[in-house]
Amino acid sequence: MGKTELRIEIDADLLARAKAAGLAVEAIAEDAVRARLTSLSDDEKARLWAEENAEALKAQRERIDAHGVFGEDLRTW
């Protein structure tokens, strides 16, 4: 996967100290984001998914309201 540029703000003194200590701040930030995503609970993952897909979910509900569920006319129960 490719990388994208991200502009973040960090305390200048903290950044200088990290660089002086030989820390790769970019790698640390990426690792921290990856760790946070890994540690999300199932509820948090579901909430994020619902937020990311809210537009598609709304469109699907509107389609069902307008046209019904696919195959509904074939149901015998």
Side-chain angles (χ1 to χ4, degrees), residues 15 28 30 36 44:
L15 180 60
I28 293 169
E30 190 172 329
R36 175 66 179 120
E44 288 172 307

Side-chain angles (χ1 to χ4, degrees), residues 10-45:
I10 186 171
D11 179 88
D13 182 55
L14 181 63
L15 180 60
R17 288 173 39 208
K19 286 187 176 189
L23 299 176
V25 175
E26 297 85 357
I28 293 169
E30 190 172 329
D31 290 345
V33 171
R34 189 173 286 111
R36 175 66 179 120
L37 288 172
T38 301
S39 70
L40 289 176
S41 71
D42 288 342
D43 287 344
E44 288 172 307
K45 289 177 187 175

Side-chain angles (χ1 to χ4, degrees), residues 60 63-64 67-75 77:
Q60 176 68 353
R63 188 195 68 73
I64 289 171
H67 305 289
V69 178
F70 178 77
E72 188 172 13
D73 57 326
L74 302 174
R75 278 199 254 178
W77 64 93

